[in-house]
């Protein structure tokens, strides 16, 4: 069996989805560098169950030979699909599970309840440029009082942003090199 995509939209799917996404997250480069992304705790279970109950959850698990290898946490509401969190198990990196996941997700999004907009969310990555057709500038708005504390906070935020972008750039270069070596 090749890669098989499972769409997760129903409340009864949430517990299994979180269990699989948690295990994948533990094996992802994001978890190693940025911390565990999916905790599979009561708070996440409640939040995702509520989203599913409201009809706004649209997440995915990609399986390779029945083994969960990649996930996307997404939401869809009012015709906008939000690509919130994604990761793959590095032990399956040679199979390009991230690219397979996005490709199969796009097929599913086109075939079932097609959104008007697919929002890849914050940040820049090669796959976003590859699959996207429009770039917009957005981000959080911080309202801070003038002073040393605010200057330190802004410095921390900017430093963290540069670190994350640098790590993603390095990972993207490593992934591209790996793919080219297999071709």
């Amino acid at each position: 069996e090749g890669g098989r995509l499972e769409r997760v939209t129903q409340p009864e799917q949430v517990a299994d989805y979180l269990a699989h996404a948690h295990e994948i997250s533990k094996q992802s480069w994001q978890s190693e560098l940025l911390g565990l992304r999916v905790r599979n705790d009561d708070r996440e279970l409640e939040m995702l169950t509520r989203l599913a109950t409201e009809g706004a959850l649209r997440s995915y698990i990609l399986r390779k030979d029945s083994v969960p290898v990649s996930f996307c946490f997404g939401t869809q509401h009012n015709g906008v699909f939000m690509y919130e969190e994604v990761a793959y198990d590095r032990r399956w990196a040679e199979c390009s599970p991230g690219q397979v996941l996005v490709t199969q997700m796009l097929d599913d999004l086109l075939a079932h309840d097609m959104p008007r907009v697919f929002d890849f969310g914050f940040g820049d990555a090669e796959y976003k440029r590859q699959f996207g057709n429009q770039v917009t500038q957005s981000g959080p708005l911080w309202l801070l009082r003038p002073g040393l504390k605010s200057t330190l906070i802004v410095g921390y935020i900017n430093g963290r942003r540069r670190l994350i972008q640098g790590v993603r750039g390095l990972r993207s270069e490593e992934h591209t090199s790996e793919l080219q070596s297999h071709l």
Side-chain angles (χ1 to χ4, degrees):
E1 174 189 332
R4 183 176 59 84
L5 188 69
E6 177 184 337
R7 182 182 340 113
V8 178
T9 59
Q10 300 301 309
E12 59 273 9
Q13 295 175 288
V14 170
D16 283 344
Y17 168 78
L18 276 175
H20 295 310
H22 175 72
E23 291 304 315
I24 293 166
S25 183
K26 290 191 314 189
Q27 300 301 324
S28 71
W29 67 263
Q30 293 96 328
S31 188
E32 180 180 319
L33 295 172
L34 306 172
L36 189 60
R37 311 307 288 172
V38 177
R39 299 195 183 289
N40 191 21
D41 58 17
D42 290 340
R43 184 177 155 269
E44 284 183 339
L45 179 63
E46 181 183 339
M47 179 185 71
L48 268 64
T49 301
R50 184 176 303 135
L51 285 169
T53 301
E54 296 296 323
L57 181 67
R58 185 159 188 177
S59 296
Y60 294 91
I61 290 282
L62 178 70
R63 298 175 188 274
K64 170 83 171 114
D65 300 327
S66 300
V67 177
V69 296
S70 184
F71 76 88
C72 172
F73 164 55
T75 59
Q76 185 169 326
H77 182 67
N78 287 337
V80 178
F81 177 79
M82 295 293 298
Y83 186 78
E84 303 285 350
E85 185 72 44
V86 64
Y88 67 86
D89 184 328
R90 289 177 295 176
R91 296 174 293 192
W92 293 87
E94 72 280 354
C95 298
S96 302
Q99 288 187 349
V100 173
L101 174 76
V102 172
T103 302
Q104 289 190 16
M105 276 177 40
L106 289 172
D107 287 343
D108 185 73
L109 287 160
L110 290 171
H112 305 282
D113 190 21
M114 184 174 75
R116 289 178 295 100
V117 175
F118 182 117
D119 189 335
F120 275 111
F122 174 75
D124 183 35
E126 178 60 35
Y127 73 92
K128 292 179 181 184
R129 290 188 297 273
Q130 178 182 358
F131 291 108
N133 63 359
Q134 182 180 6
V135 175
T136 60
Q137 299 296 319
S138 63
L141 174 65
W142 294 81
L143 300 175
L144 302 170
R145 294 180 185 181
L148 177 61
K149 184 176 180 181
S150 295
T151 301
L152 292 172
I153 290 170
V154 170
Y156 168 78
I157 292 167
N158 288 333
R160 187 171 186 273
R161 182 179 301 133
R162 284 191 297 276
L163 174 66
I164 290 169
Q165 287 172 342
V167 167
R168 286 184 175 160
L170 287 173
R171 291 296 181 181
S172 178
E173 289 173 18
E174 286 177 13
H175 183 67
T176 300
S177 296
E178 286 177 26
L179 285 175
Q180 289 173 346
S181 70
H182 290 327
L183 296 177

